[in-house]
Amino acid sequence: MKKRNKIRWGIIGLGNIANQFATDLKLIEEAELIAVASRDITKANEFAKNHDCDKFYGSYDELFSDDQVDIIYIATPHNSHAELSIRAMQNGKHVLCEKPLSLSYHDAVLMIEASKKYNKFFMEAFWTRFIPSIRELLSKVESGKIGSVKYLKADFAYYNSELGVRLTEKKLGGGALYDIGVYPLFLSYVILGIPEEILAKSTYHTTGVDLQTTMILQYQSAQSVLHAGLVSASDMKATISGTQGRIDIDSPWFMTEGYSIIENEEEEKFRISNIGKGYAHEAIECHVCIKNNQIESNLWSHQNSLDLSSIVEEVKNQIGLQFE
């Protein structure tokens, strides 16, 4: 009987992030990974064995047709997110889709429309939004703990000596902006909202995708300075500065387990451990929403995803990035 109460997961796209997500799923009592799919049946078999999963498929359609699966986690390359998410919902599945939602605002809209049409839960897998330390510090910012926010700094950059096809091919949505630039843009959005103006500049790979992108977001009375890069490492800390103090988020800020509040030159440290690597928290949010018959999360809503998609698209246009 207890088995039936579990939320039964399927996973499509069996790369590194899917592996980490599946590892975290094991830490959630009410979660059960029952099926995985890859276009490479050998890869699917190996992934299933590594994660004690009974069923593995050599095509996505087979997983879509599995009536035992409640929700599908989609972790394929960016360019296939929209098509696969919509097909999953057409087949009666709830969907957690890896960020970025899609490579265009237009496709993001179609994904949200599918969720409403088929009455299925759908959420962008923006795991940072559900990290306990992030949730706590955001509530403190909202309550006015550091006054009115005037400045935000965030980056996500690392040195990658071997940029593979996924990061360099245009048709796959490669480059720094869509792979990791969405993180600092997310932080600015959840704290300051949609900017009035965006200034962005990039350096490029020979394929035309961006290797590093720096962005200034202008708000009515605040600014954000953001950076994403694949060619050099940053400290991956983030700072939120207000009129009455600031919050420094421990590195790596997007999956942090701690932060500090600095007021009047006095520092107070806070720490909350993540479950596993941190992917469990977004999965738990999916469970809560599904049990409440919600088609979207209150913490990271359909509109939140659309807003962020529109911001990312503006940056894409500014730096002349084209995936077609």
Side-chain angles (χ1 to χ4, degrees):
M1 194 67 186
K2 188 178 180 183
K3 197 88 168 172
R4 278 188 217 157
N5 290 332
K6 288 181 178 284
I7 302 289
R8 298 165 301 185
W9 286 81
I11 297 179
I12 284 177
L14 307 179
N16 181 48
I17 291 178
N19 184 61
Q20 295 176 52
F21 183 84
T23 300
D24 268 17
L25 267 189
K26 296 173 190 173
L27 304 175
I28 308 171
E29 188 176 345
E30 63 182 8
E32 181 183 12
L33 178 61
I34 68 163
V36 298
S38 170
R39 290 182 174 134
D40 180 344
I41 189 70
T42 303
K43 186 176 184 179
N45 183 15
E46 184 180 340
F47 191 99
K49 283 182 180 177
N50 289 342
H51 293 285
D52 305 315
C53 176
D54 292 335
K55 293 184 280 188
F56 58 93
Y57 299 117
S59 77
Y60 302 153
D61 285 331
E62 287 178 280
L63 195 149
F64 290 148
S65 300
D66 188 331
D67 60 9
Q68 298 297 305
V69 174
D70 299 313
I71 180 169
I72 297 176
Y73 172 61
I74 294 175
T76 54
H78 309 330
N79 65 317
S80 60
H81 288 178
E83 179 201 348
L84 294 176
S85 293
I86 291 169
R87 281 171 56 197
M89 288 184 277
Q90 285 173 336
N91 281 272
K93 311 303 184 195
H94 303 295
V95 172
L96 175 66
C97 178
E98 253 314 319
K99 54 86 210 142
L101 210 54
S102 66
L103 296 181
S104 73
Y105 180 80
H106 173 266
D107 283 352
V109 169
L110 296 179
M111 297 161 87
I112 301 304
E113 286 177 349
S115 171
K116 294 174 181 174
K117 179 179 180 180
Y118 300 108
N119 196 34
K120 289 298 164 185
F121 173 76
F122 175 74
M123 188 175 82
E124 183 179 15
F126 229 111
W127 64 312
T128 303
R129 179 64 184 91
F130 307 98
I131 296 291
S133 287
I134 295 291
R135 288 183 64 171
E136 184 176 273
L137 72 86
L138 287 177
S139 69
K140 289 180 178 177
V141 171
E142 192 174 343
S143 70
K145 176 68 175 173
I146 60 170
S148 177
V149 174
K150 297 297 182 183
Y151 172 70
L152 185 147
K153 176 186 75 71
D155 53 21
F156 189 154
Y158 62 95
Y159 175 65
N160 193 326
S161 59
E162 296 181 12
L163 294 170
V165 169
R166 187 185 69 80
L167 287 173
T168 57
E169 280 227 11
K170 272 191 172 186
K171 67 180 182 181
L172 296 180
L177 174 61
Y178 275 78
D179 201 60
I180 54 179
V182 292
Y183 283 96
L185 286 169
F186 153 83
L187 188 64
S188 185
Y189 166 68
V190 292
I191 292 172
L192 292 168
I194 298 174
E196 294 184 348
E197 187 180 1
I198 298 173
L199 302 172
K201 292 291 184 181
S202 302
T203 62
Y204 302 90
H205 190 272
T206 53
T207 60
V209 302
D210 63 311
L211 286 173
Q212 59 180 12
T213 295
T214 299
M215 300 154 279
I216 298 175
L217 274 56
Q218 180 71 44
Y219 297 86
Q220 187 173 0
S221 61
Q223 292 178 319
S224 295
V225 178
L226 315 172
H227 176 75
L230 303 170
V231 290
S232 65
S234 69
D235 62 11
M236 298 217 218
K237 294 178 181 177
T239 298
I240 307 158
S241 298
T243 53
Q244 296 172 30
R246 77 172 195 270
I247 294 176
D248 290 344
I249 310 177
D250 295 352
S251 178
W253 70 264
F254 50 87
M255 55 181 287
T256 193
E257 293 188 315
Y259 63 96
S260 300
I261 296 181
I262 297 93
E263 295 177 280
N264 301 320
E265 298 183 7
E266 291 188 6
E267 181 178 9
E268 186 177 5
K269 292 182 177 291
F270 300 87
R271 181 177 173 81
I272 311 174
S273 296
N274 294 332
I275 297 173
K277 187 156 186 178
Y279 293 99
H281 301 288
E282 64 181 355
I284 291 169
E285 176 69 8
C286 293
H287 294 178
V288 170
C289 294
I290 289 169
K291 288 180 177 179
N292 288 335
N293 295 313
Q294 297 171 228
I295 65 167
E296 62 182 315
S297 164
N298 295 327
L299 287 175
W300 190 245
S301 69
H302 290 170
Q303 189 59 52
N304 292 147
S305 286
L306 289 174
D307 288 348
L308 183 60
S309 178
S310 70
I311 293 169
V312 176
E313 186 147 294
E314 172 60 24
V315 176
K316 178 181 79 170
N317 292 340
Q318 284 235 353
I319 63 176
L321 186 60
Q322 294 180 328
F323 294 124
E324 294 76 24

